[in-house]
Structures are given as C-alpha cells and as structure tokens.
C-alpha cells in the first residue's frame, strides 16, 4: 500500500509540474497611473483633451514642486553663511 504521505507528495509533484507546464499569462503589466490617465481622459471631450494635463503630468509637476522645496530648504540653511540674508 502507498502511504498517505507518499500519495500527497506525488499529488503535489504532479500539481507543480502542471503549474510549470501551463503557459504564463501574456497580459501586459497594469500601470496605475496609465489606468487613471485613461479613465480621466474618457470623461473629457476629445477636442479638449490636449488642453488638460494628464494625471501623470500633474503628479510629475507635484514631484518638481517637492524637489524645489528641498532646494529651498538647502538654500535657507546656506543663506546665513553666504551673507544672502539682510541684517
């Protein structure tokens, strides 16, 4: 008689082999910002879409503001050393 453990191991091996043999999904990876862009653009009339920045462009603009804020913090720290502040 085959033991329960050996039967379970054989079934697990068969299942693993089947999973490896199955073709991988060929769907393209989903981009969250791309999905949001397409959803947002679908509510804007086609003749006005070029006038409205995409969500991705708006997020990139926010990132630029964040980087500018970091630069401002650095220059604020350096201003007393360089004499850029008024007395």
């Amino acid at each position: 008689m085959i033991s329960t453990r050996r039967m379970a191991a054989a079934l697990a091996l068969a299942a693993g082999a089947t999973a490896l043999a199955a073709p991988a999904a060929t769907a393209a990876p989903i981009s969250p910002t791309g999905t949001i862009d397409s959803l947002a653009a679908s509510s804007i009339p086609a003749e006005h879409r070029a006038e409205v920045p995409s969500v991705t462009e708006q997020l990139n603009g926010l990132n630029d503001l964040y980087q500018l804020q970091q630069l401002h913090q650095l220059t604020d720290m350096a201003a007393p050393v360089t004499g850029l502040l008024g007395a």
Side-chain angles (χ1 to χ4, degrees):
M1 288 218 120
I2 298 177
S3 72
T4 306
R5 286 185 182 172
R6 286 187 183 181
M7 187 178 293
L11 288 174
L13 181 62
T18 303
L20 289 174
T26 58
I30 296 173
S31 165
T33 53
T35 303
I36 293 172
D37 282 343
S38 65
L39 288 173
S42 67
S43 64
I44 300 171
E47 62 271 9
H48 298 292
R49 285 187 189 151
E51 300 168 16
V52 179
S54 69
V55 174
T56 301
E57 291 170 340
Q58 293 177 37
L59 289 174
N60 287 338
L62 287 175
N63 188 36
D64 292 343
L65 285 176
Y66 175 72
Q67 290 177 355
L68 183 61
Q69 176 63 25
Q70 287 183 325
L71 178 63
H72 191 278
Q73 289 175 354
L74 180 65
T75 57
D76 286 350
M77 291 185 328
V81 176
T82 58
L84 294 176
L85 289 179

